[in-house]
Amino acid sequence: MRPFEYVSPNSRSQAIGLLGATWGNIEILAGGTDLLTLMKDDVVTPKRLVNIKDIADLRGISFDAQGLRVGALTSLGELADNENVRKNYPALSEALLEAASPQIRNMATIGGNLCQRPRCWYFRNGLGLLPKDENGKELVAGGENRYHAILGNQGAAKFVSPSTVAPILIAYGAKIRLEGHKGKRELPLEKFFVIPKTENDREHDLRPNEIVTELVVPPASDLKAAHYEIRQKEVFDWPLAVAAVTLKLQGTNVQSSKIVLGYAAPVPWPCPEAERALSGKPVNKETAQKAADAALGKATPLSHNAYKVKLAKVAVTRAILKAAGGAA
Amino acid sequence: MPDYAWPDPDHRTLIGKRTTRVDSPVKVSGEAKYTYDVHRPGMLYGKVLRCPYAHAKIVSIDTSAAEKMPGVKAVQIIQGPGSNIHWAGDEIVVVAAVDEDSAEDAIRAIQVKYQQLPHLVSDAEPPSGSAQEQGPLSMDDIGDMLDNQVPTREMVSQIQRYGLTQKPSEDTLKGLKDDGAPDDVLTALRSATVHPEAGNRPPSNYQKAATQTTGDPDKAFSEAEVVSEGLYGIPVITHCCLETHGSISEWTDQDHVFTHISTQNVSGIAGQMAEPLKIPATNIRVHQDNIGGGFGSKFAPDRWGIFTAEISKKADGKPVRYMLERDAELKVAGARPSAYARVKVAAKKDGTVTAWQSNSWGTGGPGGGGMPPIPYVFSIPNQHLEHTAIRNNIGPARAWRAPNHPQAAVLTMCALDDLAAKLNMDPVEFFGKNLNLTRARENTYREELAIAAELMGWKEKWHPRRQNADGIVRGVGLSFHTWGGRGHASDCDLTIHPDGSVELKMGTQDLGTGTRTCILVVAADTLGIPINAIQLLIGDTNYPPSGGSGGSTTIGGVSSSTRRAAVDARDALLAKVAPALNAQPDQLECKNGQVSVKGDSSRTLSWKEACSKLGAMPLTIRGKNPDRSKPPDLTNSGVGGVQMAEVEVDSDTGIVKVKKMVAVQDCGLIIDLKTAESQCYGALIMGISYSLFEEKVMDQATGRMLNADMQFYRLAGLSDIPELIVHMMTGKGYDERGVIGLGEPPVISPGAAISNAVANAIGVRVPFLPLTPDRVLAALEQKGRA
Ligand SMILES: Cc1cc2nc3c(=O)[nH]c(=O)nc-3n(C[C@H](O)[C@H](O)[C@H](O)COP(=O)(O)OP(=O)(O)OC[C@H]3O[C@@H](n4cnc5c(N)ncnc54)[C@H](O)[C@@H]3O)c2cc1C
């Protein structure tokens, strides 16, 4: 085993003090369901692990007129089962329950879920986040890219963003709160995800000395929402497409909407084109399909994943219909 | 002569009935111990440095740093400088250390320099004209074959068939022997013809492996009324044993080894370890209680089983445990060869099949591999077959449950099903019409087909292939299969003690198939005592040898030897008991835990009282199979099965769900109906898994396996398994054939049946398994364009 230092601070400030200025040597440990696997496989090799599970004020769920506040250490299982979440954000609860398995949901934290690393099989085999062979040739574009990105894949990053929960959180308008050396920040969740340009970049707008502290989700009583996942296996499988939709209706027509794709791009992929296509329209199969076509209009599939364009369209169509209460 | 024959239905108390697995409680409670669970006192942990490249030559190895590390007890080079490595993940150096972490640290400290060589990990259709006739073999070829673990029989046949480019010197032969070349290979090398002129042939990855013509296919095709052409295939999958391969070996003294190993072949392991360890097989004790999956990949100690014992010796004989890591298990410990074919089949308008032509290819890794037995089950009168074997760098293939048959079923039954569709015939009618081509099993198949159709509700569910698939669509498909399954050689010792206790020892293994239960059913039925009155001891070379569990040979072997031992033991006991009951031995019977005079219940002894008549010494009888001196033959060969699948396909997403499967199967006389059915259920589950999910994904650029883990090497989960209906053929016409194996046959048909059901549902063939959404959507799109 590669030796590493293990520290267990019990306050945010202590934790932040133990983090470094660059990526690579220090990692934050929450539930460990992703990080420990990466370490066992030698994909990440930290010299120090900062366990944040003893920081009490990173836990807890509260709900009031301002909406939902979720501590970063809240487990996926706890969040899915929370009464306020089930009642007010049912599509979030559903997305959480479709993720992983009960055992993993009990260990995995929501902060870790949003910060988990890509499932790209080149990355997981130690060939890099932007996989290259020994001669610097990119591996994914001409390789086994059946599960890779169909959008936002023009650069070297071709993996898909791994969280199945992020799209619906973004569709609900969630914000993420971070705390670091320079104090606190709040970002719309969609801005938290970034496409790395070099091997040393990460997939998040998280500085090496910051931690995710909290999620804030605005009230959603006026929204109709849906999460739709296409998986080959019935349960416990990585999806091939995820779509999350929230709709604000005026009468029977869509006043505004938020449509976000998962498993399509290196980041959760908001679809303003689809939102525009749906705006002012009634929701039916035809308008939903038009929105889906708009969402994928700029797709740039790789050599083996054109089918994912079709799947993403189906996911968007079904999510819109499901949100509106129609048949999915 | 005692009557060893299986009892008729009126005289069976347990045989053919439903007996619950005797090892259920220990399995369910977790008390059952697997090799993986074995921890010996003072045990060291092995770790292996594996080559990251698919094809490379080792330039140098420096283990000095590793040797000096704390906790490291021994380091051994497995393949030294100069060795050619033919697949990523091959073993280079092994380390034994006091714990896994120290062993792993030591592995990281080893420096190996490789010279990378060009590799091929694809099994795509060979470029036309690329296939070479195999020429005479060079000594390098022979070395490669040994490295690639090509089976001895195959090596000998290739040496005899193709000859050599040079005569091997005695030194070369000695070197080969030291490297583990079996004597049969050395003998073949000594007597091979030599063709020195063929020395400098450039090697090809593509080798013509078969060209065969039967009847007059040209004429048959030119006269055909209907011809169907298609492309079919089934990829390389891995065995993915949940208990990985591996062993724990220790030297109990200078020349005795004790090995715990995860194996399908307890009695056969010592013999394979003897030569490399340079001690007699009798000095090697092998033990295994339970195995967590083998599927055909665990017959040998494997290179790692040998070096585990070798490094134990280096470490003063301390027990060394080396069980493969999950990724290694998927990369190197088992692969089922792929098979693909372009097939053309012809028929008359009435559905009579007249001709078959196939150009097939596939890979079994560096050894290339052979042609599956196509056309399968149906002996089509006019045939032309060509097969190209691809030798590539994906790692060696191993037998996978019913070797070559699932491939043959897919290539054959899917091609015939497409022909039925072209004829616009219901497959039940079409295959039914051609059952005469199945020869020996015709009547069995006819009965099974009717039963399967009934259980599936085929009549209501079948429809001609859809022209337009829209939304969620359903379809049904079927397939046929066959298998041998004659019982293997098996010895056992049955002992009756004067206190009435009974013990049965046999060096067999229970793969989870219910072997323990079946042995006990036979012994208890024969002795007329309950199952729990017998202590069964298996899984150790201290017991009489019994064959490896492969080829579905176990049930026939162990039930036959047990029957003979139990009949002889019973009769020997009756001879001792007869005077006490004032009767002749042949007037007595053993039933319900008693020994009594037939027809006179007043003259009865309890089993315990009867056994006390043995005097001071227990009675031990050796039972054997085969045993011509003790007829009749109790086992037989040849089964047939029919399976049907119903699927639901979402034509927008290409996702296939299996909704129902029916398996109708014969296997002669059934010992335990419950475990027999379990074999079929398990096979259907495994079949659904390889039909929908499994595939060894290789990266062409790096030559590595990308999904050597259990997140991307998908296996079916509980919720992917639908209603499964199993019907075993029993009674007249089946029971009197004797006991025949069942482990493999029911796993052959699912791929073809499910693929055919999908074709029925969506109206177009998805050429290759697994039936993943990308493939299903591609087929639908192609149809849309057509
Ligand atoms: C078998 C399996 C199936 C899965 N299926 C799904 C699925 O369907 N959908 C899905 O969305 N996910 C799935 N996951 C992923 C799972 O949700 C994540 O592994 C989990 O949420 C990570 O949380 P954790 O607390 O265990 O994080 P850890 O493993 O502890 O950390 C993960 C990463 O996040 C960083 N991190 C954690 N917390 C913080 C913080 N507060 N601030 C900054 N950085 C932090 C760590 O440094 C690390 O890089 C699956 C995982 C497994 C193993």
Side-chain angles (χ1 to χ4, degrees), chain B residues 204-220:
Chain B
S204 167
N205 291 108
Y206 304 106
Q207 184 198 335
K208 267 193 190 146
T211 311
Q212 287 168 27
T213 305
T214 315
D216 190 345
D218 290 345
K219 180 159 173 275

Side-chain angles (χ1 to χ4, degrees), chain B residues 85-242:
Chain B
I85 305 301
H86 296 271
W87 60 85
D90 203 4
E91 297 85 18
I92 312 295
V93 183
V94 58
V95 167
V98 292
D99 53 38
E100 278 194 85
D101 292 335
S102 309
E104 210 172 288
D105 290 344
I107 288 296
R108 273 201 206 99
I110 297 169
Q111 305 284 334
V112 182
K113 276 210 191 89
Y114 299 95
Q115 178 195 348
Q116 284 193 64
L117 300 168
H119 62 249
L120 177 75
V121 294
S122 158
D123 60 0
E125 186 164 14
S128 73
S130 63
Q132 276 186 357
E133 292 291 351
Q134 171 69 55
L137 304 159
S138 68
M139 279 304 126
D140 278 352
D141 291 337
I142 300 294
D144 286 353
M145 285 162 99
L146 288 171
D147 285 350
N148 296 336
Q149 302 163 22
V150 174
T152 305
R153 203 158 16 121
E154 174 150 354
M155 275 191 78
V156 170
S157 104
Q158 292 206 23
I159 294 165
Q160 289 168 347
R161 204 159 134 211
Y162 302 118
L164 299 174
T165 55
Q166 74 186 84
K167 192 173 167 52
S169 68
E170 277 310 309
D171 275 359
T172 311
L173 290 170
K174 192 176 166 299
L176 289 171
K177 189 175 167 68
D178 291 345
D179 287 348
D183 287 338
D184 287 354
V185 169
L186 298 173
T187 313
L189 289 173
R190 282 206 176 83
S191 58
T193 22
V194 177
H195 310 267
E197 73 289 350
N200 292 326
R201 167 184 61 94
S204 167
N205 291 108
Y206 304 106
Q207 184 198 335
K208 267 193 190 146
T211 311
Q212 287 168 27
T213 305
T214 315
D216 190 345
D218 290 345
K219 180 159 173 275
F221 275 108
S222 68
E223 290 171 0
E225 293 172 349
V226 179
V227 174
S228 164
E229 284 181 65
L231 174 62
Y232 312 93
I234 172 166
V236 173
I237 66 172
T238 88
H239 292 63
C240 198
C241 301
L242 288 193

Side-chain angles (χ1 to χ4, degrees), chain A residues 27-36 52 72 76 98-100 104 107-109 111-113 115-117 119 162-165 202 206 210-212 236-238:
Chain A
E27 296 280 346
I28 296 167
L29 175 71
T33 59
D34 189 25
L35 186 59
L36 297 187
I52 57 170
L76 303 188
E98 286 197 27
I104 290 171
M107 283 305 291
T109 66
N113 180 280
C115 296
Q116 64 176 301
R117 310 300 309 276
R119 292 281 154 190
S163 170
T164 58
V165 184
R202 288 255 166 141
L206 181 74
E210 275 180 327
I211 57 174
V212 175
F236 207 23
D237 195 5
W238 305 113

Side-chain angles (χ1 to χ4, degrees), chain B residues 443-634:
Chain B
N443 288 334
T444 301
Y445 284 129
R446 202 171 294 287
E447 282 180 48
E448 289 177 340
L449 184 61
I451 294 169
E454 187 66 35
L455 291 171
M456 175 51 86
W458 181 276
K459 269 216 184 79
E460 301 77 58
K461 288 177 179 166
W462 183 79
H463 50 78
R465 282 194 187 171
R466 263 195 192 81
Q467 290 317 303
N468 290 303
D470 193 18
I472 309 275
V473 288
R474 285 205 178 206
V476 285
L478 61 82
S479 172
F480 294 77
H481 56 259
T482 184
W483 191 253
R486 165 171 287 284
H488 57 207
S490 170
D491 287 6
C492 66
D493 281 344
L494 195 153
T495 301
I496 303 179
H497 292 272
D499 71 342
S501 59
V502 178
E503 184 179 77
L504 200 157
K505 293 178 177 168
M506 193 194 293
T508 186
Q509 50 281 320
D510 188 335
L511 300 197
T513 48
T515 303
R516 281 190 173 90
T517 311
C518 291
I519 293 171
L520 287 167
V521 162
V522 171
D525 191 306
T526 308
L527 297 174
I529 55 176
I531 277 181
N532 60 15
I534 305 172
Q535 196 195 359
L536 174 64
L537 298 167
I538 64 169
D540 200 297
T541 42
N542 282 345
Y543 310 141
S546 193
S549 291
S552 306
T553 55
T554 306
I555 185 66
V558 303
S559 62
S560 299
S561 61
T562 302
R563 173 71 179 170
R564 291 195 179 97
V567 167
D568 282 345
R570 179 194 66 196
D571 291 358
L573 175 69
L574 295 182
K576 296 263 188 183
V577 172
L581 285 170
N582 221 344
Q584 291 303 310
D586 62 1
Q587 291 175 295
L588 303 182
E589 63 181 359
C590 295
K591 235 170 117 172
N592 302 328
Q594 292 178 326
V595 177
S596 28
V597 178
K598 286 178 205 162
D600 180 358
S601 58
S602 68
R603 282 193 286 163
T604 292
L605 292 177
S606 72
W607 174 261
K608 202 172 161 70
E609 287 164 345
C611 294
S612 71
K613 308 293 177 211
L614 288 172
M617 288 300 285
L619 169 81
T620 295
I621 301 282
R622 170 66 53 103
K624 282 178 157 311
N625 185 64
D627 190 347
R628 278 201 203 122
S629 70
K630 294 180 179 171
D633 187 357
L634 297 173

